[in-house]
Amino acid sequence: MYQTRLSGPVIGFVLMILLLVLLFALHRPAARPQIAPRIAPPWAISQPFAPAGADQPAAPAQDPAVPLIAGGYLTVVNPEAVYGEAEQPVLTQEVEQALAYVIGRSGHSPQGPITAVIEPQADCLLNGMAYTDERRIHVYTCADIPRQRAVNVLAHEFVHQLAHDHYGDAHLHADLALSEGLATWGAGRYWLGQHADFATFVRQVYINHDEELLPLATHYHGRSINDMNKLYYEWASFVEYLLLTYDQAPFDALYVSGQGDPGSANYTGVYGKSLEQLEQEWRTWLIHS
């Protein structure tokens, strides 16, 4: 066995590197809040997005009172890094249309500029994240994934930003079932494909295939991607049910009462019914809607 003796200068250099690493670890900024987990709608993984046509309404025309890029509300950053410079104008237009669509569907307007960042993803997994306190939306994708799928995810993340703008900082600790349900519901056709609504989606994709629904208060931590996707669609359908059955005002009061975890909002105080009672109503509605 050979032994190598390190000289004094080498030891000093190594110690300096170790010290720099330690200082970086101690002083690096805290992780930003992750509003949405990195998943994609399951139908978007296996098949291309179905463009609007005769059997699927197009996104609403842009409201001239809601300026997008021209008014400084939306900037799309770095699309050429993934899809190439030639596709940049088309992708930018599609992202604009997605924002206009979710504004119209949710009824909430941006209260400041939004930056949508297209990030290359080495492992080619499509996912998104919203840093709503910084007004930055990221989608992680690669050239092998059709750009429309990236736009689908951006639509979901845009709704998170609009929710923060509408509800204020209460959005950051909203009941997860409501925040992710609202973002998925608000993305509408970008997550529905050819399905008419989220009740139809949940019924046809899960219930009609004898898949057991998860309780609405289930957290996605430690769950499979399939379970996470199922929860997102369940939550979207539940939000759809609350808005259709009880209107917007009580939903707004419920949204700001959350404490982060799914099921943490004050359902009894707002609706006079527990989450379990509302969930049973929703499940009955799913079958008969």
Side-chain angles (χ1 to χ4, degrees):
M1 179 181 292
Y2 292 95
Q3 292 184 337
T4 302
R5 297 178 62 88
L6 299 178
S7 65
V10 172
I11 293 174
F13 178 77
V14 171
L15 290 175
M16 182 181 69
I17 295 298
L18 291 174
L19 178 61
L20 289 174
V21 170
L22 179 61
L23 289 173
F24 174 78
L26 290 175
H27 294 287
R28 63 183 176 182
R32 299 184 181 95
Q34 180 172 320
I35 307 303
R38 295 184 166 193
I39 69 169
W43 58 266
I45 295 173
S46 58
Q47 64 185 52
F49 175 77
D55 59 344
Q56 187 178 23
Q62 180 179 328
D63 183 347
V66 183
L68 295 174
I69 286 182
Y73 269 123
L74 178 64
T75 302
V76 181
V77 176
N78 209 32
E80 69 279 2
V82 178
Y83 295 108
E85 187 172 352
E87 291 190 73
Q88 181 174 352
V90 177
L91 177 59
T92 298
Q93 183 180 31
E94 291 169 344
V95 174
E96 287 186 51
Q97 291 172 345
L99 178 56
Y101 173 82
V102 301
I103 288 171
R105 182 169 167 85
S106 68
H108 303 326
S109 298
Q111 300 301 304
I114 301 172
T115 300
V117 183
I118 314 296
E119 295 273 15
Q121 182 80 308
D123 55 10
C124 218
L125 292 176
L126 177 63
N127 48 73
M129 193 175 298
Y131 300 103
T132 59
D133 52 340
E134 300 179 10
R135 314 196 65 79
R136 284 191 299 109
I137 308 299
H138 287 247
V139 63
Y140 302 85
T141 184
C142 73
D144 291 337
I145 296 175
R147 66 174 186 268
Q148 185 60 64
R149 298 188 191 177
V151 176
N152 298 343
V153 174
L154 281 173
H156 173 102
E157 304 302 337
F158 280 146
V159 183
H160 281 305
Q161 184 63 64
L162 297 178
H164 194 162
D165 288 346
H166 182 73
Y167 296 110
D169 287 346
H171 166 72
L172 297 175
H173 54 77
D175 183 319
L176 191 65
L178 300 178
S179 62
E180 294 301 344
L182 179 63
T184 305
W185 174 84
R189 71 183 185 93
Y190 289 91
W191 275 54
L192 282 169
Q194 297 292 348
H195 294 86
D197 48 44
F198 286 95
T200 302
F201 186 101
V202 172
R203 185 169 58 252
Q204 293 183 359
V205 174
Y206 300 123
I207 296 176
N208 289 356
H209 289 82
D210 295 324
E211 286 198 35
E212 185 176 352
L213 297 182
L214 296 166
L216 292 175
T218 303
H219 204 295
Y220 54 66
H221 281 167
R223 292 278 179 172
S224 67
I225 291 294
N226 287 338
D227 280 355
M228 292 170 69
N229 281 317
K230 183 186 291 187
L231 283 169
Y232 270 42
Y233 280 102
E234 286 186 35
W235 290 339
S237 176
F238 183 58
V239 166
E240 185 175 68
Y241 169 73
L242 293 177
L243 291 173
L244 288 173
T245 305
Y246 295 100
D247 209 2
Q248 185 73 48
F251 180 83
D252 288 348
L254 183 70
Y255 195 95
V256 300
S257 70
Q259 299 299 319
D261 288 332
S264 64
N266 186 12
Y267 294 90
T268 302
V270 172
Y271 292 106
K273 301 174 183 179
S274 67
L275 174 58
E276 291 74 18
Q277 290 174 303
L278 290 166
E279 181 169 354
Q280 187 56 53
E281 289 182 4
W282 163 71
R283 286 173 179 254
T284 302
W285 175 79
L286 279 176
I287 302 300
H288 300 291
S289 62

